[in-house]
Amino acid sequence: MDLGLTGKTAIVTGAGSGIGAAIAVRLGEEGANVVLADMNLEAAEGVAQSIREAGGQALAVAVNVAEADQVAALVARTVEAFGGVGILVNNAGLARDGRITKMEESDWDLVLDVGLKGAFLCTRAVLPYMTEAKWGRLIQMSSRAHLGNPGQANYSAVKAGLIGFTKSMALENGRHFITSNAVAPGMIDTPFVRGHPKFETIRDNAISTTPIPRIGEATDVADAVCFLASERASYITGDVLHVTGGRY
């Protein structure tokens, strides 16, 4: 199936590893020009190189998405390299877990700054180009955690906030033929998840409570993102696509 992404330009934040890297690679396979934004430039460049070796177009940029000047520079480099930007995947995020009575204010601020403020800054920066082109795809990386997780008040607040942000952007920008959707993964096998000290226990619990009895792969999420970015999803906006194997 042709997704109509050839020649489109996509920015993927947090693209140096895990889900972000899988999304970037998948978009590159579909013919999109991909800008991989990550604080770890070496990791992002490694993924970009693999896209280029496969015949795609890719650019790696070091950026802290919580800093407006760095986001502006990211978008400027994207436009300079590829002439515009039509797809934004706000994937950058991190976790600093802890029960609320033991959570440091700095942990709350950091998680919200990267995950929620970063999405705001990146979206605000790309919208003028999408509006001018009368075409755009805004995709927020939410999570099953938007339903609430114990010990993750900050992370869950971000993922729930991204859904509200998604719906607001759909209402504001639909008249310009810009869609806005969110993807909410369940437990996905990534280096970040595997690094959790209780990974095996969490994995086994997830499998036992998931109708499709396995944990997800990063490519499962990447495929969902590519669909929402495509021409095939041009009449879908303000929605949340759960990639959870049926676990809610």
Side-chain angles (χ1 to χ4, degrees), residues 128-145:
Y129 299 97
M130 295 180 179
T131 300
E132 182 179 1
K134 292 291 183 181
W135 194 95
R137 301 288 187 265
L138 302 171
I139 302 170
Q140 317 300 330
M141 192 56 58
S142 183
S143 164
R144 179 183 174 276

Side-chain angles (χ1 to χ4, degrees), residues 5-6 10 30 40 50 54 56 59 112-113 140 149 156 158 174-175 200-201 213 230 236:
L5 294 175
T6 300
E30 289 295 332
N40 186 335
S50 70
L59 171 68
L112 267 73
D113 279 352
Q140 317 300 330
N149 276 341
S156 292
V158 166
R175 67 185 184 276
E200 293 185 357
T201 299
S230 77
I236 300 172

